[in-house]
Amino acid sequence: MNRDKYAIMAKGCKWIVKEASDPAKVERLATEVGIDKVLAELLVARGVETFQQAMAFFRPKLEDLHDPFLMKDMDVAVERLHRAVTNKEKILVYGDYDVDGTTAVALVYSFIKRFTDSVDFYIPDRYDEGYGVSFKSIDWAAEGSFSLIITLDCGIKAIDKVEYAREKGIDVIICDHHLPESSIPAAVAVLDPKRTDCTYPFDDLSGCGVGFKLVQAYSQRFGVAFETLVPLLDLLVVSIASDLVTMVGENRVLAHYGLKVLNENPRKGLLALITLSNLEPGHITVDDIVFKIGPRINAAGRMETGRLAVDLLKSTELAEAMAIGEKINANNNERKNIDKEITCEAIEMVRTGKCLAGKNATIVYNPKWNKGVVGIVASRLVEAFYKPTVVLTKSNGFVTGSARSISGFDLYEAIESCSDLLENFGGHVYAAGLTMKEENLAEFARRMDEFIAGKVTDEMLTPVIDVDVKLDFAQITPKFFRILKQFQPFGPGNTNPIFVTENVYDAGNGRKVGADGVHMKLDLIQESQPYHQIAAIAFNMAHFYDYIKEGNPFDVCYAIVENYYRGSSSLQLRVRDIREREDII
């Protein structure tokens, strides 16, 4: 088969092997760097074509970070913060209740606390105040005689709230990374690399990343050694990984060094979460943040209060951190139970036709559902039905909820087309939140379904796995894997490479694992190379077990990972999908 034409269907997914790069570029890079052609192919596909570019890719440097003063309003923000610090003004650090917001608040609060005790923080209540800056928080700040509020991961749309603060004698510095509207708030300073009038060289920082640029600029202006900021990077990598911003450019540099801090000397709060998550200290990866650490931090705001997360992340005593961490861990366990229950209810609604929309979009509503988990449930429904999805409940007299999209579809645009029906909304291309009056619910569902019908093609409704290259097991040598690990940290824009190996079978030790036997552990052998046996884990794929156990051959699509268990490490294939050989098309 031609590599650029190779496509297979399995489990409803389409595997597409990417078109090959220029062979001359691949050959040259492989020779210059002294690496396997497959690894050179992966690099060229990422825009790395020379020895110098390869060294920059494999050896990120903090010196490569951009000058923070290239961000519009940074000079004004720094001067206003310095005036507040010098004059002992009361400063309020304000952030969203999710991972990005709470890490950002912990980072900026911890930094400012070095210079003044006149600083506090505020996390809005998800259920009482909702997302973003609230009037209630400004009243609280005014009553407490705060004269400066620094918003993190929110504020870019808070035009009326900033004006309300100004009327009460409170200045606002906004640090946000969301898309602005045509008008921006009249704050003292608005730091947002996505501003159309901002020429900052990298526009995909997380909210915590924008907060870090503020403290970097302050340090640069007022002689604070940059080395003292490095311990803050463990917070920043948790934000970058959890918020799914691109793992390229400045984010990749910050995440690389953040992982070093997280593995070598994490703050007490993150060490508590590492312990409670049963992770291997010193071997924490982006996946561990995304699937273990991040959800626990999020659970605080979903089930109780986001203040708990900040209290944990700014803690300097391990005993205190463990006590808070255990509360958050309990929140996470409760969240998982509720999330599972609601997901089952929502799937049943779709299957029995009791949803608001099920043809082009999945839109479900139950006023009794927990508001804190509807975003997770929306993601689960996308996995189940692979359509743009909105999950709604009722809170404070309004219908409110979260939306998740599929690859290639701009969900934010769809929601924006219904803005006249909404009280407020915000988010990104693939994830958004919204609030409306209940009487607008039916019309919202109708218009969303209609809008999506005109934009989503049948091809978009088929999940796609982008495969980097076909590979034989014999090519997975210790040197190959040692270099592949240096492609980390992985994330959007620099994903863990996906490989396909054809005509493999299980060596005979394959078994079902997991609470309900829904996963499989396999020892795979390629038929053409029977001496190369490789361990594999296949999550939620036990439906292939009988076929595999009978000794039948199959093709496997996977990422290569390092598995740590009780102090020892081993190479493992993390299976993304399986194709029975007779399914080749």
Side-chain angles (χ1 to χ4, degrees), residues 323-376:
I324 301 170
E326 283 167 0
K327 281 186 187 178
I328 288 176
N329 208 42
N331 286 333
N332 191 51
N333 290 332
E334 182 186 0
R335 185 274 304 169
K336 285 193 283 189
N337 292 333
I338 293 172
D339 140 28
K340 186 175 180 180
E341 182 181 327
I342 294 175
T343 298
C344 290
E345 290 177 15
I347 287 174
E348 185 65 17
M349 288 173 73
V350 177
R351 287 179 174 161
T352 57
K354 295 178 181 177
C355 50
L356 292 169
K359 185 179 179 183
N360 305 299
T362 302
I363 304 179
V364 291
Y365 170 60
N366 184 328
K368 295 180 180 178
W369 284 340
N370 185 299
K371 180 183 175 185
V373 303
V374 291
I376 299 170

Side-chain angles (χ1 to χ4, degrees), residues 49-64:
E49 299 181 1
T50 67
F51 179 86
Q52 290 75 18
Q53 289 173 334
M55 290 305 98
F57 180 81
F58 287 129
R59 303 287 183 268
K61 294 180 180 177
L62 288 169
E63 299 82 59
D64 293 335

Side-chain angles (χ1 to χ4, degrees), residues 293-405:
I293 296 172
R296 282 170 168 77
I297 294 173
N298 261 333
R302 293 184 192 281
M303 309 309 301
E304 194 169 343
T305 170
R307 284 191 66 88
L308 261 183
V310 179
D311 284 336
L312 174 75
L313 296 173
K314 70 180 183 64
S315 177
T316 56
E317 299 295 329
L318 186 57
E320 177 191 47
M322 285 299 296
I324 301 170
E326 283 167 0
K327 281 186 187 178
I328 288 176
N329 208 42
N331 286 333
N332 191 51
N333 290 332
E334 182 186 0
R335 185 274 304 169
K336 285 193 283 189
N337 292 333
I338 293 172
D339 140 28
K340 186 175 180 180
E341 182 181 327
I342 294 175
T343 298
C344 290
E345 290 177 15
I347 287 174
E348 185 65 17
M349 288 173 73
V350 177
R351 287 179 174 161
T352 57
K354 295 178 181 177
C355 50
L356 292 169
K359 185 179 179 183
N360 305 299
T362 302
I363 304 179
V364 291
Y365 170 60
N366 184 328
K368 295 180 180 178
W369 284 340
N370 185 299
K371 180 183 175 185
V373 303
V374 291
I376 299 170
V377 174
S379 296
R380 302 264 194 268
L381 294 185
V382 170
E383 291 173 11
F385 302 107
Y386 207 69
K387 295 176 182 177
T389 298
V390 186
V391 178
L392 299 161
T393 185
K394 199 166 188 180
S395 178
N396 293 330
F398 289 95
V399 172
T400 185
S402 293
R404 298 293 184 269
S405 194

Side-chain angles (χ1 to χ4, degrees), residues 72 131 154-159 174-186 190-198 203 412 416 425-428:
K72 187 169 179 61
Y131 169 79
C154 61
I156 196 62
K157 294 185 178 181
I159 294 173
I174 293 171
C175 300
D176 205 347
H177 69 132
H178 295 97
L179 279 169
E181 293 180 339
S182 54
S183 298
I184 61 174
V190 178
L191 307 179
D192 188 335
K194 289 188 176 71
R195 284 179 62 167
T196 55
D197 57 349
C198 180
D203 70 354
Y412 187 86
E416 193 172 37
F425 65 97
H428 307 284

